[in-house]
Amino acid sequence: MRRSLLLLCSTLGLAGSAAGQIDPVPTVGATGPRPLATDLVVPIHTRDLPGYGTWAAGGNFKAGFAQPDRPGFEYVPYAGPSFAENQHWRWRTVAARCGEFELVDRADPAGRAVSGLRYEYDLGGVVEAYDLSAAGVEQTFTIAARPDGTGPLVVSGTVDTPLHCPPRAATHAPLHFTDPDGLLTVEYGAATAIDADGHRLPMTSAWDGTHLTLQLGADDVARARFPLVVDPVLIHWSNVETVGRLDVDSYELNTKWVAYTRVASSGDHDVYLQRYDDGWQNMSVRYADITSATSTDGIALAACDNFFLSEPNAYLAYEQRTATKTEIAIAWGAQSRVVHRVTAIANEHLRNPSLCGDGLFAGVCLAYDRVFLTSYTVRALVVDEAQTGFFRFTAFPAAIAVTTEEVHPQVVRGTLSDWNITWAENGASSTAIFAREVYYSGSVLDPRPFLSPATLERYRTGSHTIDQLRATTNEFTMIYSFVRSPRRLGTRALQIVAIDTYTAPNPVLYSRSLHSGLAYENGAIARDEEFGSIATACFTTLQGLTRQLRCVRLGADGNIATEQVNTSANLPRSPDLDFAARRQGSPSAAGEYVAVWATAASNNPIYGEELHYPAAAFLPLIVNGSVDCAQVDELAAFDQPSLAGNAEFDTFLQEAGPLDLLVVGLRTARLPLDALGMTGCQMGAEPVLYLPADGVTPVPLPTNTYGASLLFQWILVRPGANPLGVVTSDTVLVRIQ
């Protein structure tokens, strides 16, 4: 019968057809870059954290009220890392008089938040209040009833600030406070009094270097109808880089989480967690730690979305640094609260957190560097805080490895485990990447994580050092991206290395330089979770004053399939990237990632973009054409055909016989086979390749199959089905993208 099939192939005269040139499908940026922090407001709040105080924030500033160690109001612009200390502007009311009548009869009164956007101090005869908006803070002094005294209305306060404003006599004009370089930082607006009829009465502002005095003339006071409101506005002016770190995560595209730090000074970094809907719409601040009592350098984010949660959620891990120690807090975005704190003793610093969710029990694995005096340790912790309360636990704060420096460990989903904790150590003569694995054990109702007993060496090189290590996994492969620096000779480069984690001793599958010769900031690498051999890397390059954001889509062999480059005058930096599940019912089955990056513009400090790619392959399309043939076998779904030089992918035919053949073609054909004794059958593909069809059939792919349309058809030996005893299946069309 095999001779009959060979005769059939010869008769068709199709065995030598050649593949044509394939044009790649371009990368598509679906939404374009979007500013993500416009009209930002963090309502007035406090937290159950040591020394937190009461805070709120707008677009490029934060505001404090009645802090534990200092009364009054505090305005703190996000001035950037070039300042060692905050460029604060602190006000404390000293007096408010109408003529000789004193309206203030309470010293340092306790304030209260009237709403999320308004804070008040009741001073007796006057109410001092602060109304928050994204643009600034409106300071008001409200006198409810006409005072007993006559004469001008004078409100005075002390201002404590490192900013400079030259003394000035009483004038109706704003006061400008500048930094040491003379740049305008805070504007205290020209004051105006507004009476009950809405009449706007200009007031003067005088400044002697310590005291600020507002005054409304006696004639205006006499004709005003009370209540009377004094109304200056505080505004921060800035155009500096104020974002430190960025992280993005999403289990599905219609819910995205972005965490980032804002920099008031080198010693005061704040953390924000924001949630977005599809297309970066409906931004909401779900958590913020903006106290000046601690500072946040390292942050990590892990989205959670499973059947235990009533709504999408995310964990946020962040540093809480003081002068003597650094601790790590883990917050839950859905409820805007801290669920766990990793505490430290004096001189102990817990740094560089990394988080990864498990997608099942609403838990996360945290890895971090522990620095105590001159010792360095990588440690790990598992936290599970299911909303139902069934699986609420914290497990094994365990030492993973002793190192010689901070290694910035990374946690990713494991290949054969639940989590993989990985880090690089640069030695005197060689550099190695190591890993420890974390598993869940026990029953579904009683899950307990445990740590693998051995540290695994994944990769070693003597030619370069490794910095800014990032990692992602598919089922049996770990893919690393890092900045490669020369140990002896060579140039800096952005390197990709893939390791086979299933086959001992973990051979290197490929090692590629994506880019070389410039300064790099490695953002992230993320894999397509539905087509695991495909990954996307995101990083920035810097040459002179030109900074580029690059998002590179990688094929299964590490070669670049597509690349998107964004050059911005706002100097993109601190990028991050995450894969988001494809939209249900998407006609193009597009692969979708979300990328975020920081800019130098304080009014638009972070941007985001949805990157839509064609999927690795469309779902198989059955092309009917053999319905009149004697028998059509059922065709099983394809494995993941992938892009850019993948060596092969598999097809599977149920109940395949040992003599059956698989035909692979590039062009369609409708060639009737009745003359050969195959009644009602036809060839639907012009073959370029014949393969045996026993069970799973590996289909070898030439390089650069990106964008190709491939046709598959089975020639099946079925004695008695027709005079020849051979039938054909339907034709299956797959487009590799």
Side-chain angles (χ1 to χ4, degrees):
M1 183 57 67
R2 179 73 69 179
R3 289 186 60 193
S4 298
L5 291 177
L6 294 175
L7 176 63
L8 170 63
C9 295
S10 176
T11 302
L12 294 173
L14 300 172
S17 299
Q21 180 66 34
I22 298 170
D23 295 325
V25 178
T27 302
V28 178
T31 62
R34 299 283 186 90
L36 301 186
T38 56
D39 300 323
L40 176 68
V41 174
V42 177
I44 300 166
H45 67 281
T46 188
R47 297 203 179 280
D48 187 19
L49 294 171
Y52 190 89
T54 302
W55 291 89
N60 54 14
F61 68 91
K62 62 180 178 179
F65 308 91
Q67 303 305 329
D69 59 342
R70 50 188 182 274
F73 166 73
E74 180 174 10
Y75 186 89
V76 182
Y78 284 121
S82 62
F83 296 98
E85 297 180 346
N86 288 352
Q87 302 299 290
H88 59 261
W89 191 96
R90 295 174 183 155
W91 168 280
R92 183 180 179 186
T93 300
V94 174
R97 297 186 179 90
C98 185
E100 298 299 321
F101 184 80
E102 177 60 60
L103 299 169
V104 175
D105 59 11
R106 299 171 188 172
D108 299 329
R112 67 187 184 100
V114 178
S115 69
L117 301 179
R118 182 177 174 87
Y119 197 90
E120 293 183 353
Y121 300 90
D122 188 351
L123 305 178
V126 60
V127 174
E128 177 184 346
Y130 297 89
D131 291 284
L132 184 75
S133 70
V137 176
E138 183 179 12
Q139 181 190 49
T140 59
F141 298 88
T142 301
I143 301 98
R146 182 177 296 279
D148 292 339
T150 59
L153 174 65
V154 179
V155 178
S156 63
T158 59
V159 175
D160 172 26
T161 180
L163 300 171
H164 176 68
C165 180
R168 192 189 74 183
T171 307
H172 177 66
L175 288 163
H176 290 158
F177 293 81
T178 60
D179 67 15
D181 294 327
L183 298 177
L184 175 60
T185 302
V186 172
E187 177 182 289
Y188 187 83
T192 300
I194 306 171
D195 74 356
D197 294 324
H199 297 135
R200 303 180 65 86
L201 310 171
M203 301 179 68
T204 61
S205 303
W207 168 248
D208 65 4
T210 302
H211 296 84
L212 198 160
T213 303
L214 310 176
Q215 180 168 317
L216 181 65
D219 292 344
D220 286 333
V221 173
R223 63 172 174 262
R225 193 164 72 89
F226 283 70
L228 187 69
V229 179
V230 177
D231 186 20
V233 176
L234 279 160
I235 299 175
H236 168 43
W237 295 91
S238 174
N239 193 34
V240 297
E241 295 182 356
T242 62
V243 170
R245 303 288 184 89
L246 265 172
D247 201 351
V248 63
D249 204 0
S250 173
Y251 268 115
E252 53 185 23
L253 193 69
N254 58 8
T255 303
K256 293 179 283 291
W257 298 85
V258 177
Y260 60 98
T261 60
R262 294 296 298 274
V263 182
S265 63
S266 62
D268 188 9
H269 297 205
D270 299 332
V271 62
Y272 290 76
L273 174 62
Q274 294 168 197
R275 177 182 163 180
Y276 302 83
D277 291 336
D278 194 13
W280 303 106
Q281 300 298 312
N282 303 321
M283 184 273 284
S284 60
V285 179
R286 304 309 292 267
Y287 185 84
D289 186 332
I290 57 177
T291 180
S292 292
T294 60
S295 181
T296 296
D297 291 324
I299 60 172
L301 180 62
C304 298
D305 187 12
N306 59 58
F307 61 91
F308 292 116
L309 302 177
S310 60
E311 64 172 315
N313 187 28
Y315 284 91
L316 168 68
Y318 65 96
E319 298 174 10
Q320 294 179 310
R321 174 169 53 86
T322 66
T324 59
K325 63 183 179 180
T326 304
E327 300 180 332
I328 293 177
I330 302 178
W332 211 14
Q335 297 181 1
S336 188
R337 64 185 178 91
V338 171
V339 297
H340 186 76
R341 292 181 68 228
V342 188
T343 58
I345 61 176
N347 299 315
E348 184 182 27
H349 297 276
L350 312 180
R351 295 174 176 161
N352 311 313
S354 176
L355 272 186
C356 183
D358 63 14
L360 177 60
F361 296 115
V364 288
C365 183
L366 166 71
Y368 55 92
D369 285 308
R370 175 185 181 266
V371 181
F372 182 66
L373 300 177
T374 59
S375 67
Y376 301 88
T377 310
V378 177
R379 296 181 67 85
L381 177 77
V382 173
V383 175
D384 200 311
E385 188 73 11
Q387 191 163 325
T388 59
F390 293 149
F391 307 119
R392 192 167 292 171
F393 64 83
T394 302
F396 73 86
I400 302 296
V402 177
T403 60
T404 58
E405 61 182 348
E406 294 182 48
V407 295
H408 299 256
Q410 299 288 298
V411 185
V412 296
R413 295 299 301 274
T415 53
L416 301 175
S417 60
D418 289 282
W419 290 293
N420 190 296
I421 302 168
T422 188
W423 67 95
E425 293 187 50
N426 293 304
S429 59
S430 66
T431 294
I433 297 176
F434 298 100
R436 288 286 292 273
E437 295 178 323
V438 179
Y439 300 83
Y440 265 126
S441 65
S443 66
V444 173
L445 295 180
D446 188 26
R448 286 294 179 265
F450 69 95
L451 184 66
S452 64
T455 296
L456 305 173
E457 183 178 306
R458 297 294 197 194
Y459 175 75
R460 182 173 289 275
T461 177
S463 63
H464 53 259
T465 59
I466 291 175
D467 295 299
Q468 303 176 40
L469 178 68
R470 307 290 184 264
T472 188
T473 59
N474 63 19
E475 187 175 3
F476 299 120
T477 304
M478 182 74 71
I479 306 174
Y480 298 109
S481 69
F482 52 85
V483 176
R484 185 193 73 198
S485 302
R487 188 177 295 278
R488 291 179 294 274
L489 298 173
T491 59
R492 291 170 59 88
L494 199 288
Q495 190 82 7
I496 301 290
V497 174
I499 306 295
D500 182 346
T501 58
Y502 184 73
T503 305
N506 302 143
V508 175
L509 298 176
Y510 60 78
S511 178
R512 311 233 184 263
S513 293
L514 297 186
H515 205 279
S516 63
L518 301 177
Y520 298 93
E521 186 177 22
N522 192 18
I525 185 166
R527 69 177 179 91
D528 185 322
E529 295 175 3
E530 297 180 33
F531 298 96
S533 58
I534 302 166
T536 296
C538 187
F539 58 97
T540 61
T541 63
L542 177 62
Q543 183 176 27
L545 297 178
T546 301
R547 189 186 290 269
Q548 293 180 331
L549 173 74
R550 294 176 176 266
C551 293
V552 177
R553 194 181 188 214
L554 305 172
D557 60 355
N559 281 317
I560 296 175
T562 58
E563 182 172 13
Q564 179 165 308
V565 180
N566 185 332
T567 300
S568 169
N570 285 328
L571 300 178
R573 58 187 179 81
S574 302
D576 194 44
L577 180 81
D578 186 56
F579 176 80
R582 292 175 171 79
R583 288 185 174 91
Q584 293 294 321
S586 172
S588 64
E592 297 166 338
Y593 292 80
V594 287
V596 295
W597 62 93
T599 76
S602 63
N603 57 336
N604 290 317
I606 58 173
Y607 275 79
E609 185 169 6
E610 294 176 2
L611 304 175
H612 292 197
Y613 297 94
F618 282 129
L619 297 176
L621 173 65
I622 307 300
V623 181
N624 293 321
S626 298
V627 293
D628 295 328
C629 198
Q631 184 173 350
V632 178
D633 278 32
E634 180 182 357
L635 305 180
F638 281 85
D639 193 13
Q640 26 179 306
S642 101
L643 66 114
N646 193 21
E648 64 182 37
F649 67 90
D650 296 336
T651 67
F652 179 72
L653 178 66
Q654 293 180 350
E655 300 179 2
L659 300 179
D660 297 340
L661 291 177
L662 171 64
V663 176
V664 183
L666 293 175
R667 289 184 287 271
T668 59
R670 292 190 178 274
L671 178 63
L673 303 176
D674 300 78
L676 299 177
M678 300 171 62
T679 307
C681 297
Q682 68 176 12
M683 286 298 297
E686 293 187 8
V688 295
L689 184 65
Y690 294 98
L691 297 169
D694 297 358
V696 177
T697 304
V699 179
L701 298 176
T703 59
N704 194 23
T705 55
Y706 188 60
S709 292
L710 301 182
L711 294 153
F712 301 93
Q713 188 174 25
W714 281 262
I715 300 176
L716 312 169
V717 177
R718 299 295 182 263
N722 54 38
L724 186 61
V726 179
V727 298
T728 57
S729 73
D730 285 340
T731 305
V732 179
L733 171 67
V734 174
R735 180 170 174 80
I736 298 178
Q737 308 195 79

